[in-house]
Amino acid sequence: FKGKSSSDISNLRQLLSDERAKLIHIVKTKKPSSIYELAKLLGRDFKAVRYDIKLLESFGIIELISSHKQGRECLAPVIGVDKIVINIDL
């Protein structure tokens, strides 16, 4: 991500909102086995958490690992990067 305008910085701030930063922290520290478990740990709606996961996945920050439990697919979120580097040209 290379940001130059205030709208780019605003988009970055939305991507790394407080809720998404907390989500990343919980995935890293608690290692939930599913998006549903992650939503419970965060005390948030499943659909909202799934949306955030998909957004973070599109940037490579989160990866979803598939497994099967009781005949159903379960997607476990894991951190997909070691660090995030943000360069802003001023």
Side-chain angles (χ1 to χ4, degrees), residues 29-43:
T29 59
K30 302 287 185 183
K31 301 181 181 2
S33 62
S34 67
I35 298 172
Y36 177 76
E37 182 183 346
L38 175 60
K40 284 177 60 175
L41 288 169
L42 291 167

Side-chain angles (χ1 to χ4, degrees), residues 26-75:
I26 293 295
V27 168
K28 183 177 180 180
T29 59
K30 302 287 185 183
K31 301 181 181 2
S33 62
S34 67
I35 298 172
Y36 177 76
E37 182 183 346
L38 175 60
K40 284 177 60 175
L41 288 169
L42 291 167
R44 293 181 56 205
D45 177 69
F46 173 81
K47 288 181 182 181
V49 171
R50 184 177 62 194
Y51 174 84
D52 285 350
I53 287 288
K54 291 295 186 179
L55 179 68
L56 293 168
E57 182 183 34
S58 73
F59 282 91
I61 297 170
I62 294 283
E63 293 178 8
L64 293 172
I65 306 299
S66 177
S67 65
H68 288 82
K69 291 182 182 177
Q70 300 173 347
R72 295 180 60 178
E73 182 182 36
C74 185
L75 296 172

Side-chain angles (χ1 to χ4, degrees), residues 71-89:
R72 295 180 60 178
E73 182 182 36
C74 185
L75 296 172
V78 296
I79 301 298
V81 296
D82 293 327
K83 63 181 171 181
I84 299 171
V85 177
I86 300 167
N87 294 316
I88 300 174
D89 296 329

